[in-house]
Amino acid sequence: MNKTITLIYGDGIGKDIIDATIKIIERAGVKINWDRQEAGLSAYEKYGNPLPEETIKSIEKNKIALKGPLTTPVGTGFRSVNIALRQYFKLFANIRPVKSFDGIDSLYKDLDFVVVRENTEGLYTGIEFMVNDNIAQSVKIISRDASLKICNFAFELARQEKREKVTLTHKANIMKLSDGLFLRVGREVANEYKDIQFEDIIVDAMAMRMVMNPRNFSVIVAPNLYGDILSDLGAGLIGGLGIAPSGNIGDDFAIFEPVHGSAPDIAGKNIANPISAILSGAMMLKHIDEVEAAFKIEKALKNILKNKENCTVDIGGKLSTTEFADAVIANI
Ligand code: NAI
């Protein structure tokens, strides 16, 4: 029986890049019933709700979703739907592989590491107060439970993918209680995985070392904010957000999505780069044990990207979104 997966186009370039992705998944031989649902600004404009109940119910039923980017109003309006989804479905791990492609201009070649970001707490709980008119306060939460879950996840991933080292990053020299707890838990977990090396690095030094010597890293585990920043830094090392996929994983649910936003400036022009969405689709296929199809897609992308002409315009090529998707399909 075909698997049913929730599909959310999202806003802006979402439809273009997700359509490209589902055509490619089909060509790779995986038949999926896509349960199409809405979220984001487009849902808000239509229903007055950026995260309709129907969408939540669909993910609850199907357990897995493939999602395009969602527009979030800045400084006002509804809270980020992405964060709401991560918290509601307890998607505690945000996985961001950083893998370079030969043909794409980038600072480094042959990079292959993964950022494992805690996805539910830290500075992203949205608990903020105005202490008075001139002082705002944000609350940072670090719990033993969430730290334990994400550190265990990072070591399990290292074992599964035969990666030799986990690097935990923190600022426990300043935030001795919150980051101190994260580090303590990381050290406890490391003690149970003697086959995998462990190190911890203060986050500012980590940023520098990732730029100067990124080949030293294999799995990086981080609290929410540092993971958010360092995973974008990682994407910058291999040529930008347009080629960086992500998965949000929980015990019962998982949502896969490109890491870039809805790119309103190029929406509707059929020029968006779908690589991040396609690679997120491949991550999703691995998650549902369609590993062979995922490898086929990754291999086709690798082949095509050897020649810069075959890229979309944002990375120096000539192809439109649909032409690029067709080229991948022809290569599978
Ligand atoms: P953005 O990632 O949408 O765009 C930044 C720049 O990169 C723009 O010039 C855009 O044209 C370009 N770009 C992004 N993706 C591209 C692609 N696939 N191909 C070619 N060019 C691409 O970031 P921005 O402008 O800060 O955010 C726009 C909206 O997206 C905001 O409402 C933001 O909240 C939302 N957003 C949503 C995310 C998600 O749903 N996961 C993640 C990041 C931002």
Side-chain angles (χ1 to χ4, degrees):
M1 209 174 71
N2 294 355
K3 188 155 183 53
T4 304
I5 289 177
T6 302
L7 184 78
I8 301 169
Y9 282 134
D11 299 311
I13 58 172
K15 184 163 188 320
D16 293 353
I17 59 173
I18 295 293
D19 269 342
T21 304
I22 62 180
K23 269 177 18 194
I24 288 165
I25 288 176
E26 192 171 301
R27 178 70 182 97
V30 185
K31 297 263 175 289
I32 291 172
N33 296 324
W34 297 107
D35 179 3
R36 288 179 164 72
Q37 298 294 333
E38 293 175 79
L41 186 63
S42 46
Y44 180 75
E45 283 166 358
K46 228 159 139 185
Y47 311 110
N49 181 359
L51 184 54
E53 192 63 22
E54 280 290 296
T55 304
I56 292 182
K57 280 194 187 136
S58 163
I59 302 173
E60 267 168 351
K61 191 163 114 253
N62 301 324
K63 315 278 186 220
I64 294 177
L66 179 64
K67 175 185 131 345
L70 309 177
T71 300
T72 309
V74 177
T76 168
F78 57 82
R79 276 192 60 209
S80 162
V81 173
N82 292 318
I83 291 180
L85 284 170
R86 289 167 194 171
Q87 288 175 347
Y88 186 86
F89 289 106
K90 301 191 170 48
L91 306 174
F92 64 88
N94 182 243
I95 312 304
R96 296 267 304 259
V98 177
K99 234 179 186 168
S100 45
F101 284 99
D102 282 349
I104 291 182
D105 288 339
S106 58
L107 291 169
Y108 288 95
K109 299 292 169 206
D110 308 322
L111 278 192
D112 180 6
F113 63 84
V114 188
V115 179
V116 176
R117 160 188 171 195
E118 201 294 318
N119 215 14
T120 57
E121 54 178 31
L123 265 173
Y124 289 63
T125 51
I127 307 170
E128 291 191 306
F129 307 96
M130 289 308 293
V131 176
N132 59 39
D133 284 350
N134 300 311
I135 299 178
Q137 182 179 12
S138 289
V139 176
K140 167 165 163 164
I141 305 279
I142 299 276
S143 69
R144 166 169 280 278
D145 277 359
S147 306
L148 206 52
K149 269 184 112 82
I150 198 69
C151 291
N152 271 316
F153 189 98
F155 276 94
E156 278 302 316
L157 182 123
R159 227 177 227 174
Q160 249 172 39
E161 297 192 357
K162 301 194 179 8
R163 293 176 180 275
E164 70 281 10
K165 185 171 74 174
V166 171
T167 305
L168 179 149
T169 188
H170 61 87
K171 191 78 186 175
N173 51 331
I174 305 297
M175 280 161 277
K176 292 182 194 294
L177 297 184
S178 53
D179 283 20
L181 176 60
F182 190 81
L183 174 58
R184 227 166 34 245
V185 171
R187 285 178 173 155
E188 283 169 28
V189 173
N191 268 330
E192 289 163 23
Y193 290 83
K194 300 277 191 216
D195 50 321
I196 295 163
Q197 297 167 44
F198 176 72
E199 65 183 350
D200 71 87
I201 300 179
I202 291 174
V203 66
D204 37 351
M206 183 73 193
M208 182 194 70
R209 286 166 69 165
M210 280 176 72
V211 172
M212 295 191 68
N213 216 344
R215 291 190 187 91
N216 270 353
F217 300 108
S218 189
V219 175
I220 296 168
V221 62
N224 209 337
L225 176 65
Y226 313 146
D228 193 3
I229 296 169
L230 293 181
S231 51
D232 271 27
L233 189 154
L237 299 175
I238 56 163
L241 294 180
I243 54 169
S246 80
N248 298 281
I249 318 281
D251 288 326
D252 302 313
F253 303 96
I255 299 180
F256 297 84
E257 60 181 344
V259 296
H260 55 74
S262 55
D265 51 334
I266 56 165
K269 295 185 179 162
N270 192 26
I271 56 168
N273 176 351
I275 298 175
S276 175
I278 296 167
L279 287 171
S280 305
M283 270 179 97
M284 185 196 75
L285 291 180
K286 287 181 194 162
H287 189 80
I288 60 169
D289 287 331
E290 294 284 359
V291 179
E292 206 184 311
F295 285 147
K296 271 190 209 166
I297 294 172
E298 286 172 353
K299 200 169 151 217
L301 276 177
K302 225 176 169 179
N303 280 338
I304 289 173
L305 294 176
K306 280 182 188 151
N307 179 356
K308 216 171 157 195
E309 300 256 303
N310 291 337
C311 300
T312 44
V313 285
D314 58 307
I315 46 178
K318 287 187 174 158
L319 302 191
S320 68
T321 312
T322 39
E323 285 167 345
F324 183 81
D326 290 343
V328 180
I329 286 168
N331 208 287
I332 291 176

